[in-house]
Amino acid sequence: MSQIPTLKPLERRRAFEEILAQLEAAIESGHIGAGDRLPSERDLAESLGVSRTSVREALRVLEGLGLVRVRPGAEHGATFLEEPANALPRLFGLLFALRHISLASLIDFRATLETSAAATVARSGKTEIVADLEAVVEQMREPDLDPVRFHELDADFHFRLVRGAGNEFATLVLEGVRGAVAQVMLDAIVAAGNWEATHARLVAEHAAIVAAFRSGRDVKAATLIERHIRGFYEQHLRAG
């Protein structure tokens, strides 16, 4: 029989990965849900025919992802959280720091995501969302605002915008992404110099976006938010 050079021996899956796969299958089938508590390490190990160390490894992975709470003591087991933590900020931060994701890619992603969110908010007619964003802009107007505080408000504005559009997954992803570039963007603001002029321009841009929301002009709102995000990148980040 002829040999096929591209084939390689199959690698055996590690025990904790098999445990995770089985737990995922149990969740998909409806046998485990948010708020449910898993059996103890000992009972899980006996049921699955693996060591308690392997069970512990699997639980640590789930805990690191923010999906379960592991109580002290091996016999207490773990509980799937009804409101899980967002593990994406740490993941995206590491990927960005290791240069697996470029700054240009993140900016492009944000522009695409927020353009859609802006159009959705403008069409929604939900005045409470617009009022919320307007309140953030009013805080931005404070004349003695330093770049650090302004950047915090700026990040809050964009987060509230995406959350207001109502897509939970988009909100989680933006929350993960914004931390990855926070210091880079703040450094760019400081390095630009003439903070007074930069402050005035950024406030005006945010105010124009809110005005488009107020008038329900979805195309205008989407255009302004994209110009705002990409313009900042072109003017400050790419130059840096």
Side-chain angles (χ1 to χ4, degrees), residues 123-144:
R123 289 193 299 265
S124 71
K126 294 181 178 179
T127 57
E128 67 277 10
I129 296 174
V130 180
D132 190 35
L133 294 170
E134 200 165 38
V136 178
V137 175
E138 285 306 308
Q139 294 180 68
M140 289 179 172
R141 294 184 189 277
E142 294 180 17
D144 298 327

Side-chain angles (χ1 to χ4, degrees), residues 212-226:
F213 292 150
R214 281 283 181 204
S215 59
R217 299 169 66 187
D218 56 339
V219 175
K220 180 68 172 179
T223 300
L224 289 175
I225 198 75
E226 182 172 21

Side-chain angles (χ1 to χ4, degrees), residues 9 28 34 72 88 95 100 108-109 121 133 148 165 192 225:
E28 291 175 349
L88 293 179
L95 290 173
H100 293 313
D108 187 60
F109 170 78
V121 169
L133 294 170
V148 174
I225 198 75

Side-chain angles (χ1 to χ4, degrees), residues 33-226:
D36 288 346
R37 193 174 77 178
L38 290 172
S40 67
E41 282 183 10
R42 181 181 61 189
D43 290 343
L44 272 176
E46 290 178 356
S47 298
L48 295 168
V50 297
S51 69
R52 290 174 63 167
T53 300
S54 295
V55 170
R56 198 170 298 125
E57 281 186 88
L59 294 179
R60 283 173 180 163
V61 171
L62 293 173
E63 187 176 30
L65 292 173
L67 298 176
V68 302
R69 179 181 68 253
V70 180
R71 297 176 59 189
E75 299 308 314
H76 291 294
T79 303
F80 278 91
L81 299 173
E82 295 188 26
E83 294 185 9
N86 188 354
L88 293 179
R90 178 175 297 175
L91 173 61
F92 284 135
L94 289 171
L95 290 173
F96 183 68
L98 291 169
R99 301 184 184 278
H100 293 313
I101 299 176
S102 69
L103 178 59
S105 294
L106 285 176
I107 296 299
D108 187 60
F109 170 78
R110 277 195 55 193
T112 302
L113 175 65
E114 295 190 41
T115 296
S116 175
T120 299
V121 169
R123 289 193 299 265
S124 71
K126 294 181 178 179
T127 57
E128 67 277 10
I129 296 174
V130 180
D132 190 35
L133 294 170
E134 200 165 38
V136 178
V137 175
E138 285 306 308
Q139 294 180 68
M140 289 179 172
R141 294 184 189 277
E142 294 180 17
D144 298 327
L145 211 60
D146 63 83
V148 174
R149 178 55 182 156
F150 181 88
H151 176 69
E152 291 174 351
L153 291 170
D154 180 85
D156 192 39
F157 177 93
H158 291 273
F159 179 74
R160 288 170 185 259
L161 165 61
V162 173
R163 185 177 62 186
N167 188 309
E168 295 177 351
F169 182 73
T171 303
L172 283 173
V173 174
L174 181 64
E175 187 178 26
V177 168
R178 72 176 185 174
V181 295
Q183 190 59 49
V184 176
M185 296 183 123
L186 180 58
D187 290 344
I189 291 175
V190 174
N194 194 0
W195 166 239
E196 185 176 343
T198 300
H199 178 210
R201 177 175 58 80
L202 292 176
V203 168
E205 290 178 5
H206 285 87
I209 293 167
V210 170
F213 292 150
R214 281 283 181 204
S215 59
R217 299 169 66 187
D218 56 339
V219 175
K220 180 68 172 179
T223 300
L224 289 175
I225 198 75
E226 182 172 21

